[in-house]
Amino acid sequence: MINNLSKKYKNILAVNNLNFKINKGKIIGLLGPNGCGKSTTIGMMLGLIKPSQGSVMINGLNIENNRTEVLEKMNFISPYIELPKKLTIEENLKVYGRMYGVKNLKDKIEELIEKFNLVEFKNRKTGELSSGQKNRVSLAKALINDPEILLLDEPTTSLDPDVGDYVRSIIEDFASKKNATILLASHNMNEVERLCDEVMMMKRGQIIDKGISDDLIKKHGRKNLEEVFLKIARG
Ligand code: ADP
Ligand code: MG
């Protein structure tokens, strides 16, 4: 739950008095033009960015004072955190797996490396991978602790359509098997329509509309979510 959350960077009000609640097991899309405050919001939800005002409550705990406890059950993909470049894929997954105290880590790493088609690169340094390959490693890392809550900041932007589609099915599958709660920031409208139960439309640091995508499409008198996005972004 997000209460009156704001972030001011010097004179830029990146997030402006945001309020929302995500129910357990739901996948919520966060849409909005570049610079509207999506990543800042997610960064504050992870305790990576200190809010100027307001609070982030996760499972009833304030993230600022209970970071370790809360983060154990979460995972994420965020542009604020890059995987150590000098470690290989396998080493990176090992480090993160240990940090989260994952049981049967060896099997888990093997499963994820296979799932994300990384077998042939597993001994390559993460800094020497293409952006699409790195992206898949970040996703593998995001699932390493079977998180209850997953915050995904543009998880498929650098993937080709085929891999993007495949990754979407992994996320879909993970969400339904684990009943995970997911916040997904994305510019891919098909992805949002396919994965999300509801979407929040963000503009200039505020949520200006939200709902089930079909309802938003009807309400705005548009043909699809992309047109709703354009209407809101330009309007
Ligand atoms: P989005 O993820 O929706 O593209 P961001 O949350 O990254 O948006 O950025 C929101 C606004 O805050 C933008 O105007 C951006 O320039 C500004 N901003 C983001 N990070 C910083 C920072 N570290 N310092 C100053 N301004 C920032
Ligand atoms: Mg962003």
Side-chain angles (χ1 to χ4, degrees):
M1 187 155 50
I2 304 301
N3 301 308
N4 302 67
L5 194 67
S6 296
K7 178 68 189 180
K8 212 170 175 184
Y9 296 109
K10 292 190 186 122
N11 53 357
I12 300 167
L13 188 56
V15 171
N16 183 4
N17 201 22
L18 212 55
N19 288 283
F20 63 82
K21 183 175 189 295
I22 302 179
N23 290 325
K24 196 169 159 40
K26 294 282 179 207
I27 307 184
I28 306 298
L30 186 57
L31 299 185
N34 289 136
C36 73
K38 302 179 296 297
S39 295
T40 302
T41 301
I42 290 176
M44 288 192 282
M45 291 176 77
L46 290 165
L48 297 171
I49 297 175
K50 197 173 158 48
S52 309
Q53 179 206 300
S55 63
V56 175
M57 305 290 291
I58 300 205
N59 290 339
L61 296 174
N62 190 323
I63 180 95
E64 276 200 88
N65 317 321
N66 304 275
R67 208 162 164 249
T68 319
E69 198 177 341
V70 172
L71 288 183
E72 263 172 33
K73 293 177 182 150
M74 288 170 80
N75 213 322
F76 60 90
I77 290 186
S78 161
Y80 295 112
I81 301 277
E82 232 186 300
L83 296 171
K85 290 185 183 58
K86 288 190 178 153
L87 299 183
T88 67
I89 295 182
E90 206 169 27
E91 287 164 349
N92 256 318
L93 294 177
K94 219 180 258 174
V95 167
Y96 279 93
R98 284 194 190 134
M99 232 166 68
Y100 285 105
V102 176
K103 297 200 183 87
N104 303 322
L105 183 57
K106 209 163 166 270
D107 295 344
K108 187 79 200 170
I109 289 174
E110 203 166 305
E111 174 201 321
L112 287 168
I113 281 181
E114 266 173 37
K115 203 177 223 169
F116 286 100
N117 281 325
L118 294 165
V119 178
E120 58 182 303
F121 319 111
K122 70 177 183 186
N123 296 318
R124 212 186 272 182
K125 287 195 177 78
T126 306
E128 292 167 6
L129 299 170
S130 76
S131 61
Q133 291 160 348
K134 259 187 223 156
N135 196 309
R136 271 138 62 202
V137 183
S138 299
L139 277 157
K141 175 244 135 197
L143 300 187
I144 198 142
N145 59 333
D146 286 320
E148 278 172 34
I149 300 168
L150 197 48
L151 305 182
L152 300 175
D153 196 345
E154 303 190 28
T156 61
T157 23
S158 58
L159 301 177
D160 73 51
D162 178 36
V163 178
D165 183 67
Y166 177 69
V167 161
R168 267 164 231 132
S169 28
I170 296 178
I171 297 172
E172 212 168 21
D173 191 51
F174 176 80
S176 74
K177 277 202 187 116
K178 312 276 175 185
N179 193 32
T181 309
I182 301 179
L183 181 65
L184 170 73
S186 175
H187 292 298
N188 184 315
M189 299 299 142
N190 292 329
E191 171 171 300
V192 171
E193 285 193 63
R194 171 168 160 192
L195 295 177
C196 297
D197 298 300
E198 284 184 33
V199 297
M200 300 192 286
M201 297 289 208
M202 199 168 177
K203 192 175 179 180
R204 293 195 200 103
Q206 294 185 308
I207 305 239
I208 57 167
D209 210 347
K210 62 176 157 186
I212 296 167
S213 35
D214 283 346
D215 292 349
L216 286 175
I217 293 165
K218 267 193 216 118
K219 182 173 145 190
H220 289 272
R222 292 297 193 269
K223 283 204 288 290
N224 53 45
L225 202 56
E226 178 133 8
E227 289 190 4
V228 176
F229 178 95
L230 292 174
K231 180 185 168 195
I232 286 177
R234 289 170 184 167

